[in-house]
């Protein structure tokens, strides 16, 4: 076994405890929401009505087709009527944020 990053010494039989995991910090969801909001606004998106976790960009802006994105914690649901526009958006988003594309959604509960 190897030692955790940032730990200079490693002793056999020692168990390390993670003191502040991302999901354990109460403010992490808000920090992510603020980061996403700033990024979406910078890309020309606007929020939908009173819902701060849904952004939209109409056709004719940066993209030829409209895009709507709904966020829940660290999951995004992206709607777009054009596959090339959707792929271009996902590629741009994933160059800024680490993540994976899980493909098309078959079911959504929300």
């Amino acid at each position: 076994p190897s030692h955790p990053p940032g730990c200079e010494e490693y002793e056999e039989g020692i168990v390390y405890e993670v003191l502040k995991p991302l999901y354990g910090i109460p403010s992490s969801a808000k920090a992510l929401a603020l980061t996403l909001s700033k990024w979406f606004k910078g890309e020309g998106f606007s929020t939908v009505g009173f819902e701060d976790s849904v952004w939209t960009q109409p056709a004719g802006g940066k993209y030829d087709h409209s895009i709507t994105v709904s966020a829940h914690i660290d999951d995004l649901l992206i709607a777009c009527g054009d596959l090339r526009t959707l792929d271009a958006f996902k590629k741009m988003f994933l160059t800024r944020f680490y993540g994976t594309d899980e493909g098309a959604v078959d079911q959504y509960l929300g």
Side-chain angles (χ1 to χ4, degrees), residues 40-41 44-49 51 54-58:
F40 277 114
K41 288 177 183 175
F45 283 76
S46 58
T47 55
V48 177
E51 184 57 63
V54 179
W55 297 276
T56 188
Q57 186 176 90

Side-chain angles (χ1 to χ4, degrees), residues 76-78 83 86-87 90 100-108:
L76 300 181
L77 182 63
I78 307 167
L83 189 57
L86 177 65
D87 288 340
K90 288 190 297 187
T100 58
D101 179 3
E102 301 296 325
V105 174
D106 293 326
Q107 295 180 344
Y108 180 74

Side-chain angles (χ1 to χ4, degrees), residues 24-109:
I25 299 173
S27 61
S28 62
K30 183 172 182 162
L32 178 59
L34 291 172
T35 301
L36 287 175
S37 182
K38 182 178 178 181
W39 184 82
F40 277 114
K41 288 177 183 175
E43 292 296 317
F45 283 76
S46 58
T47 55
V48 177
F50 62 88
E51 184 57 63
D52 290 337
S53 63
V54 179
W55 297 276
T56 188
Q57 186 176 90
K62 189 171 190 171
Y63 299 101
D64 293 335
H65 295 82
S66 64
I67 300 173
T68 301
V69 182
S70 173
H72 178 72
I73 312 290
D74 61 350
D75 292 319
L76 300 181
L77 182 63
I78 307 167
C80 181
D82 180 69
L83 189 57
R84 282 185 286 184
T85 301
L86 177 65
D87 288 340
F89 171 78
K90 288 190 297 187
K91 182 178 180 182
M92 182 188 62
F93 184 86
L94 292 173
T95 59
R96 170 57 180 89
F97 297 100
Y98 173 78
T100 58
D101 179 3
E102 301 296 325
V105 174
D106 293 326
Q107 295 180 344
Y108 180 74
L109 178 64

